[in-house]
């Protein structure tokens, strides 16, 4: 639960104030917790305490306490790592090394989608056909955040370690909404994006391009599509194209997205 506050002053203490408290799924296993929203008296106010002997007495007659219970729910992770190797939400592993832009995963019930871009990467001539992730774009509602290193296409693996990740946020509003929480390490080669819908995207840049890890909350069970599969706890039907048709061919499956 985030810490925040709402302050009343002598000029507006007797006015009604309405605010929303929204639950957010964070996909973090930190145990079940209990929190509370309470009203505390920070400064004495003669106006507020006019009907009572002390402000504390006034507060006793105007107690506000809302209990918040946070419960862990199982989450699922899909990834695309190195050159690249995939694991779906349901645990199916496969490999695919052709360049292009693909729908890594999307929600079938809300405006949420993660796209990845694959480029050619190499260390020497013998690696010229290898491919790696170079970028990821995350759309949540009307806002989009992109993290990429695609400007360094065909750089060698030593240079990969030093490539700065470019981060851009696009929004139809003058200022982006608070759908994204963006965190990064001191080196700048690892980013974590937390969305308001509970999905988390972790991006790690290394000598084999970019690795992408997507974690979705339990509410997305059986509600996803794309290269990460449908998240229904069944590995046998992960290879479905956008029409819902199944295939046994990895290339056909990936190219459909």
């Amino acid at each position: 639960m985030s810490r925040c506050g709402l302050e009343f002053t002598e000029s507006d203490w007797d006015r009604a104030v309405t605010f929303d408290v929204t639950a957010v799924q964070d996909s973090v296993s930190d145990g079940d917790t209990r929190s509370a929203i309470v009203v505390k008296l920070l400064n004495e106010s003669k106006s507020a305490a006019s009907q009572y002997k002390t402000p504390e007495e006034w507060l006793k007659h105007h107690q506000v306490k809302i209990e918040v219970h946070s419960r862990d729910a199982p989450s699922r992770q899909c990834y695309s790592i190195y050159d690249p190797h995939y694991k779906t939400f349901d645990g199916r592993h496969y490999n695919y090394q052709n360049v292009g832009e693909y729908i890594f995963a999307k929600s079938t019930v809300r405006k949420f989608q993660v796209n990845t871009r694959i480029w050619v990467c190499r260390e020497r001539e013998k690696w010229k056909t290898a491919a790696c992730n170079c970028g990821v774009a995350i759309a949540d509602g009307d806002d989009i955040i992109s993290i990429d290193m695609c400007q360094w296409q065909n750089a060698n693996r030593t240079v990969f370690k030093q490539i700065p990740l470019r981060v851009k946020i696009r929004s139809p509003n003058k200022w982006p909404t608070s759908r994204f929480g963006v965190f990064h390490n001191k080196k700048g080669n690892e980013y974590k994006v937390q969305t308001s819908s509970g999905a988390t995207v972790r991006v790690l840049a290394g000598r084999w391009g970019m690795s992408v890890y997507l974690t979705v909350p339990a509410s997305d069970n059986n509600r996803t599509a794309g290269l990460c599969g449908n998240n229904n706890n069944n590995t046998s039907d992960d290879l479905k194209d956008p029409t819902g048709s199944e295939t046994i061919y990895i290339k056909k499956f990936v190219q459909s997205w």
Side-chain angles (χ1 to χ4, degrees), residues 78-209:
C78 169
Y79 62 63
S80 174
I81 60 176
Y82 310 128
D83 55 333
H85 306 288
Y86 292 84
K87 189 192 81 167
T88 67
F89 290 125
D90 295 330
R92 180 164 184 164
H93 294 263
Y94 65 91
N95 307 312
Y96 187 78
Q97 285 84 28
N98 284 13
V99 298
E101 295 184 15
Y102 304 94
I103 297 177
F104 189 52
K106 70 174 185 177
S107 171
T108 59
V109 296
R110 69 179 190 279
K111 293 177 68 175
F112 173 77
Q113 183 168 310
V114 179
N115 286 15
T116 54
R117 175 182 291 178
I118 299 176
W119 66 354
V120 174
C121 60
R122 56 181 143 178
E123 179 184 23
R124 304 182 185 89
E125 282 301 310
K126 67 177 181 178
W127 298 107
K128 65 182 180 180
T129 58
C132 314
N133 291 307
C134 73
V136 59
I138 307 155
D140 192 27
D142 294 325
D143 295 335
I144 300 174
I145 181 171
S146 63
I147 304 174
D148 81 275
M149 52 194 291
C150 299
Q151 73 274 26
W152 292 90
Q153 188 169 355
N154 293 328
N156 61 54
R157 285 168 61 188
T158 302
V159 174
F160 281 167
K161 298 179 181 180
Q162 306 169 6
I163 293 177
L165 295 176
R166 298 185 301 184
V167 180
K168 295 181 180 180
I169 298 179
R170 303 172 180 86
S171 173
N173 306 307
K174 182 177 181 180
W175 297 103
T177 66
S178 57
R179 287 184 177 275
F180 298 123
V182 183
F183 312 91
H184 64 85
N185 63 356
K186 291 183 179 180
K187 293 182 179 179
N189 67 336
E190 181 177 356
Y191 276 79
K192 178 181 177 182
V193 178
Q194 177 73 55
T195 71
S196 62
S197 58
T200 302
V201 180
R202 177 172 169 259
V203 176
L204 178 63
R207 63 179 186 174
W208 277 102

Side-chain angles (χ1 to χ4, degrees), residues 40 49-50 157-158 221 231-232 237 240 245 251:
K40 291 184 178 181
S50 59
R157 285 168 61 188
T158 302
N221 290 352
N231 194 15
N232 67 349
D237 65 352
K240 287 185 176 182
S245 300
K251 183 177 181 179

